[in-house]
Amino acid sequence: MYSAAAAEIAAEIGLAKGKANLEVFASTMEEMAASDRDVVTVVSDSRGSGKLAPFGKAYPDQLVEVGIAEQNLVGVSAGLASAGKKVFAVSPSCFLTARSLEQIKNDVAYSDNPVTLVGISSGVSYGALGTTHHSLHDFAALRAINNLIVVCPADNYEAEQSVRAAAALEKPIFIRFGKAPLYSLGKESEQAFEFGKARLIREGNDLAFIATGEAVIHALLAAEKLKRDEGLEARVLSVHSLKPFDSEAVLSAARECKAIVTVEEHMVNGGLGEACAATILEAGISACAFRRVGIPDEYTVTGSQADIFRHYGISMEGLAETAKALLSKAQ
């Protein structure tokens, strides 16, 4: 996921390499299930890819297997939730949010059943399996559904906190996880996790990177590179909640910074970038230069997640170059 130069900078600024968020999800589920028999997982032949095999062995009565039947997965989960269970429905995001969209809309959100929909192997995590297995539509589709919280954690801290918050909140929620091991972004003790509140990772007023999910670490490394190479101070925001959306954090960045670069592992249509653009435009702010970085409206190139990220500029080097070019136009 990282170039040698990016890994070196991460080490120099003291970032600790963590686990994949999926592993944190699975271990958190085991901890919660140990003290609460109402915690239940429903899987669609996905306990292995969802890292839930140990959960199934430890708590066989708290795991339901429906097989490769994502629509049934959501329907069964909604039924269990209506009976008082704290349900986590786990399936690859590309299938969960496409095959089961009607069930998500009606059985979960419209019926206000407190199901936590867990999209695993999200974004381009499936790499060379290609466009059929990539979930680059999920933000766009799910943001358009009323009464559904949409969350994309950026590190292990955000992953654990989002799972625990979902179990406590008992509302319809979608949480998106990828496969890659992630660096800790730090500052956990300074900001309490809350749905709808962006996490300020780095201060700066020359420009702002507003990012979500596994793209946030690349924005943070780009900010450090810009500081070292150009003397620029870049703000970095982790927008773990696409819905509810922290409009105030985005507007503060637009008012206080010369430029904004949004970064997401999602098609540029309908995702974080468009949410930020609409927020800024509706507030009447026009002085801030703006650029979306994500997957363009095309079938992705073939390669690993790291290959795809580099190709589309979702990397320390690519984001630093994008930011410099945007700032040069803004001046």
Side-chain angles (χ1 to χ4, degrees):
M1 281 290 286
Y2 313 98
S3 66
E8 183 177 344
I9 287 180
E12 289 174 357
I13 62 177
L15 297 182
K17 193 72 170 287
K19 305 175 182 178
N21 276 344
L22 263 179
E23 295 179 38
V24 174
F25 160 69
S27 61
T28 304
M29 290 297 298
E30 288 188 58
E31 288 180 22
M32 294 193 304
S35 59
D36 189 348
R37 285 184 54 81
D38 285 335
V39 171
V40 174
T41 60
V42 185
V43 296
S44 57
D45 194 32
S46 50
R47 75 180 75 188
S49 54
K51 308 299 182 184
L52 291 169
F55 180 99
K57 283 186 177 182
Y59 308 103
D61 294 337
Q62 290 168 256
L63 185 144
V64 178
E65 172 65 76
V66 302
I68 303 175
E70 290 81 5
Q71 294 167 328
N72 286 347
L73 171 95
V74 177
V76 168
S77 297
L80 288 168
S82 72
K85 298 298 183 181
K86 299 174 184 177
V87 185
F88 289 76
V90 183
S91 189
S93 190
C94 56
F95 307 129
L96 176 64
T97 62
R99 292 178 180 171
S100 312
L101 189 61
E102 182 180 359
Q103 286 72 30
I104 291 172
K105 173 187 172 186
N106 294 329
D107 296 349
V108 175
Y110 178 72
S111 301
D112 197 27
N113 281 313
V115 176
T116 300
L117 302 152
V118 180
I120 63 175
S121 303
S122 298
V124 294
S125 294
Y126 275 122
L129 287 179
T131 297
T132 57
H133 282 60
H134 295 163
S135 56
L136 301 175
H137 62 279
D138 45 4
F139 293 162
L142 299 182
R143 285 178 60 230
I145 295 178
N146 181 49
N147 194 36
L148 183 65
I149 294 170
V150 179
V151 182
C152 186
D155 67 358
N156 294 173
Y157 168 74
E158 291 183 4
E160 179 180 354
Q161 293 300 310
S162 65
V163 171
R164 294 189 184 280
L169 188 60
E170 297 186 1
K171 293 290 291 179
I173 297 173
F174 170 75
I175 305 179
R176 188 193 214 233
F177 292 128
K179 288 183 174 184
L182 299 172
Y183 286 102
S184 168
L185 300 175
K187 296 186 178 292
E188 293 92 338
S189 62
E190 299 175 24
Q191 303 170 46
F193 180 92
E194 182 181 349
F195 291 142
K197 291 293 184 183
R199 186 173 162 212
L200 179 62
I201 305 300
R202 185 182 177 114
E203 301 273 6
N205 288 341
D206 288 319
L207 70 141
F209 288 110
I210 302 178
T212 188
E214 296 189 8
V216 176
I217 179 59
H218 300 283
L220 178 59
L221 293 172
E224 178 63 21
K225 181 174 173 59
L226 288 169
K227 169 69 173 178
R228 296 180 178 200
D229 295 352
E230 309 292 334
L232 296 170
E233 296 289 353
R235 183 177 308 186
V236 179
L237 289 173
S238 173
V239 182
H240 49 70
S241 296
L242 277 291
K243 188 181 177 187
F245 188 67
D246 192 347
S247 298
E248 189 50 49
V250 172
L251 292 176
S252 294
R255 293 185 181 109
E256 297 165 7
C257 301
K258 302 180 184 72
I260 286 176
V261 177
T262 65
V263 197
E264 57 194 308
E265 188 182 0
H266 185 275
M267 184 172 285
V268 290
N269 298 333
L272 171 67
E274 287 198 353
C276 291
T279 298
I280 293 166
L281 185 61
E282 287 182 347
I285 300 171
S286 59
C288 181
F290 187 89
R291 173 71 186 275
R292 295 174 298 163
V293 175
I295 309 299
D297 193 356
E298 65 184 44
Y299 295 124
T300 57
V301 297
T302 300
S304 67
Q305 182 184 28
D307 293 332
I308 295 169
F309 271 32
R310 281 192 295 270
H311 180 81
Y312 293 112
I314 308 173
S315 64
M316 178 186 76
E317 294 84 356
L319 292 173
E321 287 302 317
T322 295
K324 285 192 294 183
L326 185 63
L327 276 173
S328 69
K329 290 181 181 180
Q331 293 173 349

